[in-house]
Amino acid sequence: AIRHTTQTRFSVFSEKLADVSGAPVCAPQIAARLVAGESIESIPRLTLLQAPGVWTLWNQAAGRMDIPPQRELLFESLGDGLQAAIDGLGLIMAPLGLIEKHLKTGQLVMPFKEKVERVSAYRLLCPHGNEASPKVLRLRRWIKAVIRNSGSPTPATVRKA
């Protein structure tokens, strides 16, 4: 299985495939409220259940206090969380590599410059011993080639863009 996760310890074989950089994104109308001076805490936070600590990491990178939002909506699926952000329901910490088309079309915008590098990772998981099977080896080689050809992951840093 391929999983997007912040976890690093598993009871099965685990191999990191790619690091994921993240940043808060939202619909343009939400960004306009922030530009007009509304506090980030007053904007609903859209949080993915599989990455609960990413907002704390981003607040640290941005030099902000980690103040809880007034409202938080939890999502199991990134797709559902992104759709909520596109629909103007709040801010979501999104994996930048997966939302490029939404940023280019203007459906989503980055209201802040700060990003968090290596906020999570895509990992290959399988039962111990299966990682050496011919089918899994072929899958691992293919995935690594796709990642290599699409651009290499960024170094482990937190940076301000």
Side-chain angles (χ1 to χ4, degrees), residues 2 25 29-30 35 53 58-59 65 68 77 82-83 98-99 103 106 112 118 123 135 138 140-142 159 161:
I2 307 291
V25 297
Q29 65 268 28
I30 298 291
V35 168
W58 180 79
N59 279 315
M65 291 183 58
S77 140
L82 288 175
Q83 189 59 55
L98 295 179
I99 62 161
L103 293 171
F112 306 100
R118 295 180 75 164
R123 301 186 82 85
K135 287 181 180 180
R138 279 195 308 275
R140 289 168 66 191
R141 281 194 300 270
W142 177 77
R159 67 182 171 118

Side-chain angles (χ1 to χ4, degrees), residues 10-97:
F10 299 89
S11 60
V12 296
F13 173 81
S14 168
E15 179 178 18
K16 185 191 297 185
L17 300 171
D19 291 306
V20 178
S21 300
V25 297
C26 60
Q29 65 268 28
I30 298 291
R33 290 169 48 191
L34 290 164
V35 168
E38 192 169 332
S39 74
I40 189 173
E41 294 81 22
S42 69
I43 305 293
R45 184 181 291 176
L46 312 176
T47 301
L48 299 176
L49 290 173
Q50 69 265 31
V54 297
W55 281 102
T56 299
L57 291 173
W58 180 79
N59 279 315
Q60 290 171 349
R64 299 174 180 271
M65 291 183 58
D66 194 19
I67 300 172
Q70 294 172 6
R71 286 188 52 216
E72 182 173 38
L73 301 170
L74 302 175
F75 293 90
E76 287 188 23
S77 140
L78 175 62
D80 290 343
L82 288 175
Q83 189 59 55
I86 290 167
D87 291 343
L89 297 181
L91 278 163
I92 188 167
M93 185 67 62
L96 295 174

